Amino acid sequence: MTKPNPSPELAPQLNRAVKDSKAPAISRAAAVLRLLGKSESPLGLNLVARELGLNPSTCLYVLRALVAEELVSFDPDTKRYALASGVLTLARGWLQQDEFSSLAQGPLERLSRDFGVTMLGVEIFGIDHIIAVAVAQSGAGFQLATQVGSRFPALISATGRCIAAFGGYGEAQLKARFDTLRWDDPPSFADWLSQVERTRETGLGVDEGNYIDGVTVLAAPVWRVRGRPSHALVAIGLSAALKRAGLPELQDALKAAARELTVKLGGEAG
Amino acid sequence: MTKPNPSPELAPQLNRAVKDSKAPAISRAAAVLRLLGKSESPLGLNLVARELGLNPSTCLYVLRALVAEELVSFDPDTKRYALASGVLTLARGWLQQDEFSSLAQGPLERLSRDFGVTMLGVEIFGIDHIIAVAVAQSGAGFQLATQVGSRFPALISATGRCIAAFGGYGEAQLKARFDTLRWDDPPSFADWLSQVERTRETGLGVDEGNYIDGVTVLAAPVWRVRGRPSHALVAIGLSAALKRAGLPELQDALKAAARELTVKLGGEAG
DNA sequence: GAATGATATTCAATATACAGAATGACAAAG
DNA sequence: CTTTGTCATTCTGTATATTGAATATCATTC
């Protein structure tokens, strides 16, 4: 007889992390922070505890400690917990240290302004995922808002073509990942592979409305070390607007910026 | 006989946090994250332990747990630890939830573009400090770079005039804080008070080269609830360039944007 | 190549963080 | 007004996270 399990839980993965760790409280704290970060609204103690499979008592102490560290805010009236701006201060420390994000910010803003597109600098974590580490919005017209810290599957959209083209992964491995992706208008694996091949030739990943309907995404790889790209520069704009703004010019400018960054980071393409 | 204390330490405050906490590991983890965030470069285990007054052994487990949670990165060759991009993902969760930062981003980008200035949205934490929670850079010309998460003393610069003007703090309290501030060109307390008075009349904080030589800063308060301002919109630009761009127009636009945000947040000035 | 000093890491005893039960606090339903 | 249910919080014994010493690893110097 197992216990009734009234709501879906993130417990299993957390339990694995807690087991064999010499500092389980930290795993729990991280899980709580992530849960609060995902949530739309502040959460009560029991909800957090249930969701993570924690003992409410333990969970209370975790939350109290996080509140004391100003990573979590607590509303005494509603007894609800939410992320506090302390997490921003941590993020700032990372941003300052990260060479890529520091170097990329300027070029991203220039491209964003010149072509009226949203620009991202992303860090590539193997074949698994990418994270937006620098953002520049055009400010004009529609905004395709993405925030720093946003996480995407590695093989999605234009960056995905770059990672597939230059990451040195086997076709079987790519296929397995590819099949898990969600697109507005999914390309066939064969089509996608030929686009990847094109990316290998041109040095530029292109996604024309596959990922998001009516939106064109371009991505140019950046190398910190030889081997596989560590980052990418990404341009995002409405397909119609991009044609007007001069797609070829943007493509060239994007590739040039990526090349320049690769040099500054001491890397080398290929 | 106390132990020799070869290097300055952050230990005391951490020890206080650890005492009486039911989750000391979390306090330690937070301290480690902050230390790594402040550091220019990756740090070794012993350095971290010494700086925080932790047992190296304990510190190792803390760092391992943080690495497992992808909040800290570890270079096996150099055995150095640094913040990892996981902290960005946490920050993103906060940004998404925070009503002010979501609502402010658009207006900030518009003002930044229209007037060629760096724009900040800051959250006010009483008389103690403020944190930049939204940033828009002009991209053109010199950049006065400030990152999301940056922390400043509450009473400094233009925002300081707003907080002093509308925070309802006593003069003695203000004086005490004021005396701790560092400016490029410090105003006298009397001068500063009269500027605060002006801010109370005009609804706009102005700092002309006090905080940073040659740089003018404007700040307009935003109210989430009646009482004292919860946030502010800040414009930063080279004094010379701002005069050319049309300072009065920027002042009006800034105040208008702040008023609009106050309404959207359901607040009320005063 | 041995010795020194600095690291990082493991290990075993013990102070204590944690789980579970019990108690308060509060709101909604009867 | 009482009951019922949910939620937050306190309390207590015990499994275990923490500690400090011991060990391992690696440069650096002699």
Side-chain angles (χ1 to χ4, degrees), chain A residues 100-157:
Chain A
F100 172 80
S101 101
S102 308
L103 291 172
Q105 193 66 44
L108 290 182
E109 266 154 22
R110 186 173 49 79
L111 289 170
S112 167
R113 182 169 43 89
D114 292 352
F115 294 94
V117 293
T118 292
M119 294 290 312
L120 304 183
V122 304
E123 181 169 351
I124 298 169
F125 294 82
I127 200 176
D128 192 61
H129 66 280
I130 63 176
I131 291 185
V133 299
V135 178
Q137 310 268 3
S138 68
F142 294 99
Q143 293 207 11
L144 302 161
T146 302
Q147 279 139 334
V148 163
S150 296
R151 202 176 149 136
F152 306 93
L155 295 188
I156 203 75
S157 196

Short mmCIF file of all heavy atoms in Angstrom, two decimals, chain A residues 100-157:
data_model
loop_
_atom_site.label_atom_id
_atom_site.label_comp_id
_atom_site.label_asym_id
_atom_site.label_seq_id
_atom_site.Cartn_x
_atom_site.Cartn_y
_atom_site.Cartn_z
N PHE A 100 31.42 36.61 -21.96
CA PHE A 100 30.57 36.67 -23.15
C PHE A 100 29.47 37.71 -22.99
O PHE A 100 29.27 38.56 -23.86
CB PHE A 100 29.95 35.31 -23.44
CG PHE A 100 28.91 35.36 -24.53
CD1 PHE A 100 29.29 35.38 -25.87
CD2 PHE A 100 27.56 35.40 -24.23
CE1 PHE A 100 28.35 35.44 -26.87
CE2 PHE A 100 26.60 35.46 -25.24
CZ PHE A 100 27.00 35.48 -26.56
N SER A 101 28.75 37.64 -21.87
CA SER A 101 27.61 38.54 -21.73
C SER A 101 28.07 39.99 -21.69
O SER A 101 27.43 40.89 -22.23
CB SER A 101 26.77 38.16 -20.51
OG SER A 101 27.03 38.99 -19.42
N SER A 102 29.22 40.24 -21.05
CA SER A 102 29.74 41.61 -21.01
C SER A 102 30.10 42.09 -22.41
O SER A 102 29.74 43.21 -22.80
CB SER A 102 30.98 41.67 -20.13
OG SER A 102 30.72 41.11 -18.87
N LEU A 103 30.80 41.24 -23.15
CA LEU A 103 31.25 41.64 -24.49
C LEU A 103 30.09 41.72 -25.48
O LEU A 103 30.12 42.52 -26.42
CB LEU A 103 32.30 40.65 -25.01
CG LEU A 103 33.65 40.67 -24.31
CD1 LEU A 103 34.52 39.51 -24.79
CD2 LEU A 103 34.34 42.00 -24.58
N ALA A 104 29.08 40.89 -25.27
CA ALA A 104 28.01 40.80 -26.27
C ALA A 104 27.00 41.95 -26.15
O ALA A 104 26.38 42.34 -27.14
CB ALA A 104 27.28 39.46 -26.13
N GLN A 105 26.86 42.49 -24.94
CA GLN A 105 25.79 43.47 -24.71
C GLN A 105 25.83 44.62 -25.73
O GLN A 105 24.80 44.97 -26.31
CB GLN A 105 25.88 44.01 -23.29
CG GLN A 105 24.65 44.78 -22.84
CD GLN A 105 23.42 43.89 -22.74
OE1 GLN A 105 23.48 42.79 -22.22
NE2 GLN A 105 22.29 44.36 -23.27
N GLY A 106 26.98 45.19 -25.92
CA GLY A 106 27.10 46.30 -26.86
C GLY A 106 26.65 45.96 -28.26
O GLY A 106 25.71 46.58 -28.79
N PRO A 107 27.30 44.98 -28.89
CA PRO A 107 26.90 44.57 -30.25
C PRO A 107 25.42 44.21 -30.34
O PRO A 107 24.76 44.56 -31.34
CB PRO A 107 27.77 43.34 -30.50
CG PRO A 107 28.97 43.53 -29.64
CD PRO A 107 28.53 44.31 -28.45
N LEU A 108 24.88 43.56 -29.33
CA LEU A 108 23.47 43.18 -29.36
C LEU A 108 22.60 44.43 -29.45
O LEU A 108 21.64 44.50 -30.22
CB LEU A 108 23.08 42.37 -28.12
CG LEU A 108 23.65 40.97 -28.01
CD1 LEU A 108 23.14 40.29 -26.74
CD2 LEU A 108 23.29 40.14 -29.22
N GLU A 109 22.95 45.43 -28.66
CA GLU A 109 22.14 46.65 -28.66
C GLU A 109 22.25 47.39 -29.99
O GLU A 109 21.27 47.94 -30.49
CB GLU A 109 22.55 47.55 -27.50
CG GLU A 109 21.66 47.31 -26.28
CD GLU A 109 22.34 47.66 -24.98
OE1 GLU A 109 23.28 48.46 -24.97
OE2 GLU A 109 21.90 47.12 -23.95
N ARG A 110 23.44 47.37 -30.55
CA ARG A 110 23.62 48.02 -31.84
C ARG A 110 22.76 47.33 -32.91
O ARG A 110 21.98 47.99 -33.62
CB ARG A 110 25.10 47.98 -32.23
CG ARG A 110 25.43 48.75 -33.50
CD ARG A 110 26.93 48.80 -33.73
NE ARG A 110 27.57 47.48 -33.63
CZ ARG A 110 27.55 46.56 -34.59
NH1 ARG A 110 26.90 46.80 -35.72
NH2 ARG A 110 28.16 45.40 -34.42
N LEU A 111 22.85 46.02 -32.99
CA LEU A 111 22.08 45.28 -33.99
C LEU A 111 20.58 45.46 -33.77
O LEU A 111 19.81 45.64 -34.71
CB LEU A 111 22.45 43.80 -33.95
CG LEU A 111 23.84 43.46 -34.47
CD1 LEU A 111 24.20 42.01 -34.15
CD2 LEU A 111 23.91 43.69 -35.98
N SER A 112 20.20 45.42 -32.50
CA SER A 112 18.78 45.58 -32.17
C SER A 112 18.26 46.91 -32.67
O SER A 112 17.17 47.00 -33.27
CB SER A 112 18.61 45.47 -30.66
OG SER A 112 17.33 45.90 -30.28
N ARG A 113 19.06 47.95 -32.44
CA ARG A 113 18.64 49.29 -32.84
C ARG A 113 18.65 49.42 -34.37
O ARG A 113 17.68 49.89 -34.97
CB ARG A 113 19.60 50.31 -32.21
CG ARG A 113 19.28 51.76 -32.50
CD ARG A 113 20.12 52.66 -31.60
NE ARG A 113 21.51 52.19 -31.50
CZ ARG A 113 22.49 52.57 -32.34
NH1 ARG A 113 22.24 53.40 -33.31
NH2 ARG A 113 23.71 52.09 -32.17
N ASP A 114 19.73 48.97 -34.99
CA ASP A 114 19.87 49.17 -36.43
C ASP A 114 18.81 48.43 -37.24
O ASP A 114 18.37 48.90 -38.29
CB ASP A 114 21.27 48.74 -36.90
CG ASP A 114 22.36 49.65 -36.36
OD1 ASP A 114 22.00 50.70 -35.78
OD2 ASP A 114 23.55 49.33 -36.54
N PHE A 115 18.41 47.26 -36.76
CA PHE A 115 17.49 46.45 -37.57
C PHE A 115 16.11 46.30 -36.93
O PHE A 115 15.25 45.60 -37.47
CB PHE A 115 18.10 45.07 -37.82
CG PHE A 115 19.34 45.11 -38.67
CD1 PHE A 115 20.60 45.15 -38.09
CD2 PHE A 115 19.25 45.13 -40.06
CE1 PHE A 115 21.74 45.20 -38.87
CE2 PHE A 115 20.38 45.18 -40.86
CZ PHE A 115 21.64 45.22 -40.26
N GLY A 116 15.91 46.93 -35.78
CA GLY A 116 14.60 46.87 -35.13
C GLY A 116 14.18 45.47 -34.73
O GLY A 116 13.00 45.12 -34.79
N VAL A 117 15.15 44.66 -34.32
CA VAL A 117 14.84 43.29 -33.92
C VAL A 117 15.17 43.07 -32.45
O VAL A 117 15.87 43.88 -31.84
CB VAL A 117 15.65 42.26 -34.75
CG1 VAL A 117 15.22 42.29 -36.20
CG2 VAL A 117 17.15 42.54 -34.62
N THR A 118 14.64 42.00 -31.90
CA THR A 118 15.04 41.58 -30.57
C THR A 118 16.30 40.73 -30.71
O THR A 118 16.36 39.82 -31.53
CB THR A 118 13.92 40.75 -29.91
OG1 THR A 118 12.83 41.60 -29.65
CG2 THR A 118 14.41 40.14 -28.60
N MET A 119 17.31 41.04 -29.91
CA MET A 119 18.56 40.29 -29.99
C MET A 119 18.82 39.55 -28.69
O MET A 119 18.59 40.09 -27.61
CB MET A 119 19.73 41.25 -30.24
CG MET A 119 19.73 41.96 -31.59
SD MET A 119 20.08 40.85 -32.98
CE MET A 119 21.52 39.97 -32.38
N LEU A 120 19.29 38.33 -28.83
CA LEU A 120 19.69 37.55 -27.66
C LEU A 120 21.13 37.11 -27.79
O LEU A 120 21.60 36.82 -28.90
CB LEU A 120 18.84 36.28 -27.53
CG LEU A 120 17.32 36.38 -27.46
CD1 LEU A 120 16.73 34.99 -27.26
CD2 LEU A 120 16.92 37.31 -26.34
N GLY A 121 21.82 37.02 -26.67
CA GLY A 121 23.06 36.26 -26.58
C GLY A 121 22.76 35.04 -25.75
O GLY A 121 22.22 35.16 -24.66
N VAL A 122 23.04 33.86 -26.28
CA VAL A 122 22.71 32.64 -25.54
C VAL A 122 23.96 31.83 -25.24
O VAL A 122 24.91 31.85 -26.01
CB VAL A 122 21.70 31.75 -26.31
CG1 VAL A 122 20.44 32.53 -26.63
CG2 VAL A 122 22.32 31.17 -27.57
N GLU A 123 23.94 31.15 -24.12
CA GLU A 123 25.00 30.22 -23.79
C GLU A 123 24.49 28.82 -24.08
O GLU A 123 23.34 28.47 -23.78
CB GLU A 123 25.39 30.36 -22.31
CG GLU A 123 26.52 29.42 -21.92
CD GLU A 123 27.11 29.73 -20.54
OE1 GLU A 123 26.75 30.77 -19.96
OE2 GLU A 123 27.91 28.90 -20.05
N ILE A 124 25.34 28.00 -24.68
CA ILE A 124 24.94 26.66 -25.11
C ILE A 124 25.43 25.62 -24.11
O ILE A 124 26.61 25.57 -23.80
CB ILE A 124 25.52 26.35 -26.51
CG1 ILE A 124 24.97 27.35 -27.52
CG2 ILE A 124 25.21 24.92 -26.92
CD1 ILE A 124 25.67 27.30 -28.87
N PHE A 125 24.50 24.82 -23.61
CA PHE A 125 24.85 23.75 -22.69
C PHE A 125 24.68 22.42 -23.41
O PHE A 125 23.67 21.74 -23.26
CB PHE A 125 23.99 23.82 -21.44
CG PHE A 125 24.27 25.05 -20.62
CD1 PHE A 125 23.69 26.27 -20.95
CD2 PHE A 125 25.13 24.99 -19.55
CE1 PHE A 125 23.96 27.41 -20.20
CE2 PHE A 125 25.41 26.13 -18.80
CZ PHE A 125 24.83 27.32 -19.13
N GLY A 126 25.65 22.09 -24.22
CA GLY A 126 25.64 20.83 -24.97
C GLY A 126 24.40 20.70 -25.83
O GLY A 126 23.89 21.68 -26.38
N ILE A 127 23.92 19.48 -25.92
CA ILE A 127 22.77 19.20 -26.77
C ILE A 127 21.49 19.35 -25.96
O ILE A 127 20.39 19.14 -26.47
CB ILE A 127 22.87 17.77 -27.36
CG1 ILE A 127 21.98 17.63 -28.60
CG2 ILE A 127 22.58 16.73 -26.31
CD1 ILE A 127 22.13 16.29 -29.27
N ASP A 128 21.64 19.75 -24.70
CA ASP A 128 20.49 19.75 -23.80
C ASP A 128 19.68 21.04 -23.85
O ASP A 128 18.51 21.04 -24.19
CB ASP A 128 20.94 19.49 -22.37
CG ASP A 128 19.75 19.21 -21.47
OD1 ASP A 128 19.05 18.22 -21.75
OD2 ASP A 128 19.51 20.00 -20.54
N HIS A 129 20.32 22.15 -23.51
CA HIS A 129 19.55 23.38 -23.47
C HIS A 129 20.44 24.59 -23.69
O HIS A 129 21.67 24.51 -23.62
CB HIS A 129 18.80 23.51 -22.14
CG HIS A 129 19.68 23.67 -20.95
ND1 HIS A 129 20.31 22.62 -20.34
CD2 HIS A 129 20.06 24.78 -20.26
CE1 HIS A 129 21.02 23.06 -19.31
NE2 HIS A 129 20.90 24.37 -19.24
N ILE A 130 19.81 25.71 -23.95
CA ILE A 130 20.52 26.98 -24.04
C ILE A 130 19.85 27.97 -23.08
O ILE A 130 18.68 27.80 -22.74
CB ILE A 130 20.49 27.57 -25.47
CG1 ILE A 130 19.05 27.87 -25.88
CG2 ILE A 130 21.14 26.59 -26.46
CD1 ILE A 130 18.93 28.54 -27.24
N ILE A 131 20.61 28.96 -22.65
CA ILE A 131 20.07 29.97 -21.75
C ILE A 131 20.38 31.35 -22.33
O ILE A 131 21.52 31.61 -22.75
CB ILE A 131 20.66 29.84 -20.33
CG1 ILE A 131 20.16 28.55 -19.67
CG2 ILE A 131 20.29 31.03 -19.47
CD1 ILE A 131 20.59 28.39 -18.23
N ALA A 132 19.38 32.21 -22.34
CA ALA A 132 19.60 33.59 -22.77
C ALA A 132 20.36 34.32 -21.68
O ALA A 132 19.90 34.40 -20.55
CB ALA A 132 18.26 34.28 -23.04
N VAL A 133 21.55 34.83 -22.01
CA VAL A 133 22.37 35.48 -21.00
C VAL A 133 22.53 36.98 -21.26
O VAL A 133 23.11 37.70 -20.47
CB VAL A 133 23.76 34.83 -20.88
CG1 VAL A 133 23.63 33.38 -20.48
CG2 VAL A 133 24.53 34.96 -22.17
N ALA A 134 22.05 37.44 -22.40
CA ALA A 134 22.06 38.87 -22.69
C ALA A 134 20.90 39.16 -23.64
O ALA A 134 20.62 38.38 -24.53
CB ALA A 134 23.38 39.29 -23.32
N VAL A 135 20.24 40.26 -23.42
CA VAL A 135 19.05 40.60 -24.20
C VAL A 135 19.09 42.05 -24.60
O VAL A 135 19.52 42.90 -23.82
CB VAL A 135 17.76 40.34 -23.40
CG1 VAL A 135 16.53 40.72 -24.19
CG2 VAL A 135 17.68 38.88 -22.96
N ALA A 136 18.70 42.34 -25.83
CA ALA A 136 18.49 43.73 -26.24
C ALA A 136 17.19 43.80 -27.04
O ALA A 136 17.03 43.10 -28.03
CB ALA A 136 19.65 44.23 -27.09
N GLN A 137 16.29 44.60 -26.57
CA GLN A 137 15.01 44.75 -27.25
C GLN A 137 15.05 46.00 -28.11
O GLN A 137 15.74 46.96 -27.78
CB GLN A 137 13.89 44.89 -26.22
CG GLN A 137 13.89 43.84 -25.15
CD GLN A 137 13.03 42.64 -25.47
OE1 GLN A 137 12.46 42.54 -26.56
NE2 GLN A 137 12.96 41.72 -24.53
N SER A 138 14.29 45.98 -29.16
CA SER A 138 14.33 47.13 -30.06
C SER A 138 13.58 48.32 -29.48
O SER A 138 13.90 49.46 -29.75
CB SER A 138 13.71 46.76 -31.40
OG SER A 138 12.33 46.54 -31.24
N GLY A 139 12.58 48.05 -28.67
CA GLY A 139 11.79 49.15 -28.13
C GLY A 139 10.73 49.63 -29.10
O GLY A 139 9.68 50.09 -28.70
N ALA A 140 11.02 49.51 -30.40
CA ALA A 140 10.04 49.95 -31.39
C ALA A 140 9.12 48.80 -31.77
O ALA A 140 9.52 47.65 -31.80
CB ALA A 140 10.77 50.48 -32.62
N GLY A 141 7.88 49.12 -32.07
CA GLY A 141 6.95 48.13 -32.60
C GLY A 141 6.68 46.99 -31.64
O GLY A 141 6.83 47.13 -30.43
N PHE A 142 6.30 45.86 -32.20
CA PHE A 142 5.98 44.71 -31.37
C PHE A 142 7.22 44.22 -30.65
O PHE A 142 8.31 44.23 -31.20
CB PHE A 142 5.42 43.58 -32.23
CG PHE A 142 4.12 43.93 -32.83
CD1 PHE A 142 4.05 44.36 -34.15
CD2 PHE A 142 2.94 43.84 -32.11
CE1 PHE A 142 2.85 44.70 -34.73
CE2 PHE A 142 1.73 44.18 -32.68
CZ PHE A 142 1.69 44.61 -33.99
N GLN A 143 7.05 43.78 -29.46
CA GLN A 143 8.17 43.24 -28.73
C GLN A 143 8.01 41.74 -28.57
O GLN A 143 6.98 41.27 -28.12
CB GLN A 143 8.25 43.89 -27.36
CG GLN A 143 8.58 45.35 -27.47
CD GLN A 143 9.29 45.85 -26.24
OE1 GLN A 143 9.69 45.05 -25.41
NE2 GLN A 143 9.44 47.14 -26.15
N LEU A 144 9.04 41.04 -28.98
CA LEU A 144 9.06 39.61 -28.75
C LEU A 144 9.89 39.42 -27.49
O LEU A 144 11.08 39.22 -27.54
CB LEU A 144 9.69 38.92 -29.95
CG LEU A 144 8.94 39.23 -31.25
CD1 LEU A 144 9.79 38.95 -32.45
CD2 LEU A 144 7.65 38.43 -31.30
N ALA A 145 9.19 39.56 -26.36
CA ALA A 145 9.91 39.67 -25.10
C ALA A 145 10.51 38.35 -24.65
O ALA A 145 9.83 37.32 -24.60
CB ALA A 145 8.98 40.20 -24.02
N THR A 146 11.78 38.38 -24.38
CA THR A 146 12.46 37.26 -23.75
C THR A 146 13.31 37.83 -22.64
O THR A 146 13.93 38.87 -22.81
CB THR A 146 13.37 36.53 -24.75
OG1 THR A 146 12.58 36.08 -25.83
CG2 THR A 146 14.05 35.34 -24.09
N GLN A 147 13.34 37.16 -21.51
CA GLN A 147 14.13 37.69 -20.41
C GLN A 147 15.45 36.96 -20.25
O GLN A 147 15.57 35.79 -20.62
CB GLN A 147 13.34 37.60 -19.10
CG GLN A 147 12.34 38.73 -18.95
CD GLN A 147 11.05 38.24 -18.38
OE1 GLN A 147 10.69 37.07 -18.53
NE2 GLN A 147 10.32 39.13 -17.73
N VAL A 148 16.39 37.69 -19.72
CA VAL A 148 17.65 37.07 -19.34
C VAL A 148 17.34 35.90 -18.41
O VAL A 148 16.52 36.02 -17.52
CB VAL A 148 18.55 38.09 -18.61
CG1 VAL A 148 19.66 37.39 -17.85
CG2 VAL A 148 19.15 39.06 -19.61
N GLY A 149 17.99 34.78 -18.65
CA GLY A 149 17.74 33.61 -17.81
C GLY A 149 16.77 32.62 -18.44
O GLY A 149 16.62 31.52 -17.94
N SER A 150 16.10 33.02 -19.51
CA SER A 150 15.17 32.11 -20.16
C SER A 150 15.91 30.90 -20.71
O SER A 150 17.01 31.02 -21.23
CB SER A 150 14.44 32.82 -21.30
OG SER A 150 13.65 33.85 -20.81
N ARG A 151 15.27 29.76 -20.62
CA ARG A 151 15.89 28.50 -20.97
C ARG A 151 15.13 27.85 -22.12
O ARG A 151 13.90 27.83 -22.10
CB ARG A 151 15.82 27.61 -19.73
CG ARG A 151 16.80 26.50 -19.66
CD ARG A 151 16.63 25.81 -18.32
NE ARG A 151 16.98 24.42 -18.48
CZ ARG A 151 17.73 23.75 -17.62
NH1 ARG A 151 18.15 24.33 -16.53
NH2 ARG A 151 18.03 22.50 -17.83
N PHE A 152 15.82 27.36 -23.10
CA PHE A 152 15.19 26.70 -24.24
C PHE A 152 15.87 25.37 -24.52
O PHE A 152 17.05 25.22 -24.22
CB PHE A 152 15.29 27.58 -25.49
CG PHE A 152 14.77 28.97 -25.32
CD1 PHE A 152 15.61 30.00 -24.95
CD2 PHE A 152 13.42 29.26 -25.53
CE1 PHE A 152 15.13 31.30 -24.79
CE2 PHE A 152 12.93 30.54 -25.37
CZ PHE A 152 13.79 31.57 -25.00
N PRO A 153 15.14 24.44 -25.15
CA PRO A 153 15.80 23.20 -25.60
C PRO A 153 16.88 23.57 -26.61
O PRO A 153 16.72 24.51 -27.40
CB PRO A 153 14.67 22.43 -26.28
CG PRO A 153 13.40 23.05 -25.81
CD PRO A 153 13.72 24.47 -25.47
N ALA A 154 17.97 22.82 -26.59
CA ALA A 154 19.12 23.19 -27.42
C ALA A 154 18.79 23.18 -28.92
O ALA A 154 19.21 24.07 -29.66
CB ALA A 154 20.28 22.25 -27.13
N LEU A 155 18.03 22.21 -29.36
CA LEU A 155 17.89 22.02 -30.81
C LEU A 155 16.74 22.82 -31.43
O LEU A 155 16.47 22.71 -32.62
CB LEU A 155 17.72 20.53 -31.13
CG LEU A 155 18.94 19.67 -30.81
CD1 LEU A 155 18.76 18.26 -31.34
CD2 LEU A 155 20.21 20.29 -31.39
N ILE A 156 16.07 23.62 -30.63
CA ILE A 156 14.92 24.36 -31.17
C ILE A 156 15.39 25.54 -32.00
O ILE A 156 16.49 26.06 -31.81
CB ILE A 156 14.01 24.85 -30.01
CG1 ILE A 156 12.59 25.10 -30.51
CG2 ILE A 156 14.58 26.10 -29.37
CD1 ILE A 156 11.79 23.87 -30.77
N SER A 157 14.57 25.93 -32.93
CA SER A 157 14.71 27.17 -33.68
C SER A 157 16.08 27.31 -34.36
O SER A 157 16.72 26.32 -34.70
CB SER A 157 14.43 28.36 -32.76
OG SER A 157 14.20 29.52 -33.54
#
